[in-house]
Amino acid sequence: MSSLLTVLDAGDALPAAVELRTRSYELLGDVTGRTVVDVGCGGGRAVAELAGRGARAIGVDADPEMIAVCRERLPGGEFHVGDAYALPLETGSVTGYRVDKVLHLLDDPARAVAEARRVLAPGGRAVLLGSDWDTIAVDSDDPETTRRLVHAKADSFPSPRVARHHRALLLDAGFTDVTAEARSLVLTDDTALALLRRITDDESWLAEQAERLRANRIFVAVPMVLVAGQG
């Protein structure tokens, strides 16, 4: 858990990641005095930032250890262990729903989006943010192995290409005013190598990437898709 949190915290601190989160909050609209749920809240950073914007922010995560970390970091915050398919919230009880880098872990993302529609009050806003694991770009002297490793990692997830389907998910669930944006999270420091170590344990390939890091030549670009709609 500590190593995962370290990776998550480092990634969340990147300027591009901060920009993406900020954009996701903007797409939720004015959250002052409104209830917003962050599904798959991880270490609770988004919950804290949304609360700082005046929201009643609720964090939900399926991992009890993550929720314990959140409660330790934000003693006054509201956190629940919960399932994206069955949120511990009343129907129509929130005005904002946010999910970030979670849907690729689910075997039925459409079911999670249907649950988002259930908990949202009429006119509430949903924001889906996630990476397309199948199209991560890595600079390497061995492009064939790189393609194989990236695709193998993608195929280890239940829904690795769901980010490109975010817009359709909201439309199919009956959301309106759906907008879609794509950005790239560019990594050129030790966070790049940390991500690549999550992709593979191929030491020969990783050795080249470690050498690239030492030479300040490492480059990883992660496509991020940000979609929002009104319930």
Side-chain angles (χ1 to χ4, degrees), residues 13-229:
L14 293 170
V18 173
E19 181 182 345
L20 276 169
R21 285 199 310 280
T22 299
R23 181 58 181 152
S24 74
Y25 306 151
E26 293 170 351
L27 290 170
L28 286 170
D30 183 5
V31 297
T32 305
R34 299 182 176 181
T35 302
V36 179
V37 61
D38 187 53
V39 178
C41 62
R45 186 183 296 258
V47 172
E49 291 174 345
L50 286 165
R53 289 172 170 256
R56 177 201 168 200
I58 302 171
V60 176
D61 200 285
D63 188 339
E65 292 185 42
M66 279 293 187
I67 292 299
V69 168
C70 290
R71 288 171 176 161
E72 181 178 343
R73 289 180 170 183
L74 298 165
E78 183 176 350
F79 297 98
H80 303 280
V81 176
D83 190 324
Y85 298 143
L87 296 172
L89 300 168
E90 297 294 326
T91 298
S93 62
V94 304
T95 52
Y97 171 100
R98 180 182 181 276
V99 64
D100 182 356
K101 297 186 290 293
V102 171
L103 295 183
H104 70 281
L105 299 172
L106 305 180
D107 57 8
D108 191 356
R111 184 177 163 200
V113 173
E115 178 68 354
R117 188 74 192 275
R118 180 189 71 80
V119 300
L120 277 171
R125 300 279 298 171
V127 176
L128 316 181
L129 173 59
S131 52
D132 190 316
W133 280 87
D134 212 29
T135 52
I136 292 175
V138 183
D139 192 12
S140 171
D141 293 335
D142 187 352
E144 290 186 6
T145 298
T146 301
R147 279 193 296 268
R148 176 175 58 80
L149 294 174
V150 168
H151 292 323
K153 179 61 176 180
D155 289 342
S156 73
F157 294 120
S159 302
R161 289 163 287 279
V162 69
R164 65 185 75 170
H165 193 54
H166 281 173
R167 180 176 179 271
L169 284 172
L170 288 186
L171 290 170
D172 290 345
F175 285 85
T176 60
D177 299 324
V178 176
T179 62
E181 304 173 15
R183 313 274 180 97
S184 287
L185 184 62
V186 176
L187 309 176
T188 58
D189 56 17
D190 54 355
T191 58
L193 188 59
L195 174 63
L196 296 178
R197 290 193 180 280
R198 292 177 62 200
I199 288 177
T200 182
D201 58 3
D202 185 322
E203 290 301 330
S204 175
W205 186 83
L206 287 170
E208 183 216 331
Q209 294 300 317
E211 180 56 36
R212 284 176 173 274
L213 177 61
R214 284 190 288 272
N216 192 27
R217 295 297 185 272
I218 197 167
F219 179 92
V220 178
V222 183
M224 304 294 295
V225 179
L226 187 61
V227 175

